[in-house]
Amino acid sequence: MTKTYEIAVIPGDGTGPEVVREGIKVLDTVSGKCGFNLNYTYYNLGGDHYKESGEILQDDALESLASSNAIYLGAIGHPDIKPGILEKGILLKIRFYFDQYINLRPIKLYEGVDTPLKGKGPEDIDFVVVRENTEGLYTGAGGCLKRGTDDEVAIQESINTRKGIERCVRYAFEYCRKRNKSKKLTLCGKTNVLTYAFDLWERTFNEVSKEYPDIRTDYAHVDAICMWMVKNPEWFDVIVTDNMFGDIISDLAAMIQGGMGIAAGANINPEGISMFEPIGGSAPKYTGKNMINPIAAILAAQIMLEAMNEHKAASIIEAGVIKVLREDLESVSAGKMGYTTEEVGDLVAEYIDKN
Ligand code: IPM
Ligand code: MN
């Protein structure tokens, strides 16, 4: 019997629907080739839906998402809506509800893509950031007192649990082993200042490392990581870190791989339902213009297939992306690709069809 996957699709705001459309075009082409089915259920969520209905993400939508095998997200974010409402109400809510405790950001400079790093090429930029995705500064723990007065106090707490750190670190070791590149795992922390949180991270990391004698370990403070990522990106294979540092360093990393047109990520619960997304955001100024680069969304689809163990299909998509980046696109920036959003999707799909 042909395998069928249930994919929940949240096209979302801005250019989200445009890039998701191209991702699905590519997914349909590759699933036909590789002999599995993808069944899509669309969810109307995001800023426009919130403005029309006052609804952000209802419990029944969450329950319905729970019946899918994976979630494919375009973008969430709306210029008219106060920052935090949609991010917390949709993106973070899904991450927490489904306990997607890993945020995975593969960083790879493909041939034909410019990096802002002088003298660095595809052989130098190929690593992965494994970011803890459910704890740290993101839990919302804290509070404020006397808001709006001269005596105002704001506390935002970083929550780090042994279990939360251990499962993340273990995932990173396993990933590093499976990736089988230079087999080096770097812990990114701040043990010189955050002496409680990163003491726990460091001890956990060192303990778990004993189970992985084949993986070399390294440690660097987050500020040093930023420095080395620009100066010597070739030093990195897999980096593991907490939620906040991971958020920051993965955007720096996205820039050195060519920027938001390329960068894709995944919110993973290895035992549950994961969510895959291009990380570029809703890009309101390009909305509806058929100008945005859909490659990041296509690569998010590729990571999704990888996570569903459809390795052959995933590598066919990557081969298509490699070809299109190397031979076709003039630039990876919106409006400068030499092709429209739709045409870029067509180019990848045509390659897959022919190979
Ligand atoms: C990301 C984003 C989110 C985060 C925002 C939109 C809440 O920046 O996925 O990295 O901070 O995690
Ligand atoms: Mn971010």
Side-chain angles (χ1 to χ4, degrees):
M1 214 182 79
T2 316
K3 203 161 184 180
T4 299
Y5 298 97
E6 296 295 332
I7 309 297
V9 183
I10 307 174
D13 296 317
T15 51
E18 293 166 61
V19 296
V20 156
R21 202 173 302 133
E22 301 314 309
I24 286 178
K25 184 190 282 175
V26 168
L27 281 168
D28 283 340
T29 313
V30 84
S31 60
K33 281 230 129 176
C34 294
F36 59 88
N37 289 325
L38 297 164
N39 200 14
Y40 307 103
T41 307
Y42 284 82
Y43 291 81
N44 181 16
L45 295 168
D48 287 326
H49 177 68
Y50 175 57
K51 279 182 80 176
E52 282 158 22
S53 65
E55 283 175 10
I56 301 182
L57 173 57
Q58 308 296 101
D59 287 349
D60 56 345
L62 274 176
E63 279 158 29
S64 164
L65 286 171
S67 62
S68 61
N69 295 109
I71 304 168
Y72 185 48
L73 172 77
I76 296 290
H78 199 289
D80 303 346
I81 296 166
K82 198 172 144 227
I85 295 181
L86 301 170
E87 291 86 341
K88 280 185 162 175
I90 300 178
L91 200 58
L92 298 185
K93 193 161 176 184
I94 292 175
R95 287 179 184 171
F96 289 124
Y97 183 83
F98 292 108
D99 201 19
Q100 293 164 343
Y101 62 87
I102 299 297
N103 191 303
L104 192 71
R105 294 278 191 88
I107 306 299
K108 194 166 173 178
L109 178 66
Y110 288 105
E111 250 180 79
V113 178
D114 282 337
T115 174
L117 301 188
K118 190 173 158 209
K120 298 293 175 187
E123 63 289 357
D124 303 306
I125 300 172
D126 183 359
F127 61 91
V128 177
V129 178
V130 174
R131 160 186 174 191
E132 201 293 320
N133 210 29
T134 54
E135 300 194 342
L137 281 165
Y138 276 68
T139 63
C144 59
L145 283 174
K146 302 182 183 175
R147 192 165 180 276
T149 73
D150 289 348
D151 298 322
E152 183 160 359
V153 179
I155 298 170
Q156 196 93 46
E157 288 163 324
S158 176
I159 307 289
N160 298 265
T161 69
R162 168 73 202 206
K163 273 190 195 157
I165 296 170
E166 188 172 329
R167 65 185 182 172
C168 174
V169 161
R170 199 173 287 284
Y171 181 93
F173 274 105
E174 289 289 336
Y175 192 92
C176 191
R177 181 180 270 171
K178 223 171 54 207
R179 183 172 141 85
N180 202 18
K181 292 260 163 85
S182 58
K183 290 200 165 180
K184 177 178 166 191
L185 180 62
T186 305
L187 172 64
C188 163
K190 190 73 188 172
T191 53
N192 53 347
V193 176
L194 306 179
T195 50
Y196 305 122
F198 282 98
D199 173 51
L200 183 53
W201 271 87
E202 193 171 44
R203 279 184 290 115
T204 308
F205 181 77
N206 290 339
E207 269 171 46
V208 175
S209 78
K210 295 193 188 112
E211 296 167 39
Y212 297 88
D214 53 321
I215 308 291
R216 274 186 303 141
T217 57
D218 194 10
Y219 170 83
H221 298 319
V222 60
D223 45 352
I225 290 263
C226 293
M227 204 168 74
W228 300 129
M229 206 179 270
V230 171
K231 194 160 181 294
N232 296 98
E234 68 280 4
W235 286 357
F236 299 114
D237 178 14
V238 179
I239 302 173
V240 65
T241 189
D242 84 343
N243 209 339
M244 188 77 255
F245 291 166
D247 179 48
I248 297 165
I249 67 167
S250 53
D251 270 18
L252 174 59
M255 279 299 135
I256 72 170
Q257 73 173 142
M260 292 307 172
I262 295 284
N267 301 275
I268 295 180
N269 177 337
E271 299 87 37
I273 297 165
S274 303
M275 175 165 67
F276 304 85
E277 52 171 337
I279 66 161
S282 58
K285 86 172 184 206
Y286 296 112
T287 303
K289 298 211 167 103
N290 206 10
M291 278 164 85
I292 197 87
N293 189 344
I295 294 287
I298 293 170
L299 286 172
Q302 182 239 338
I303 303 171
M304 177 168 82
L305 293 181
E306 199 69 72
M308 299 192 312
N309 286 318
E310 292 293 346
H311 300 294
K312 183 171 164 234
S315 67
I316 295 175
I317 294 184
E318 192 183 21
V321 167
I322 289 173
K323 184 261 171 194
V324 169
L325 290 174
R326 190 175 51 210
E327 293 171 22
D328 302 317
L329 297 203
E330 284 163 26
S331 155
V332 293
S333 305
K336 297 183 185 147
M337 300 184 290
Y339 296 91
T340 64
T341 305
E342 238 181 301
E343 286 167 343
V344 175
D346 288 340
L347 285 169
V348 178
E350 273 162 29
Y351 173 90
I352 294 170
D353 222 16
K354 289 201 213 107
N355 285 274

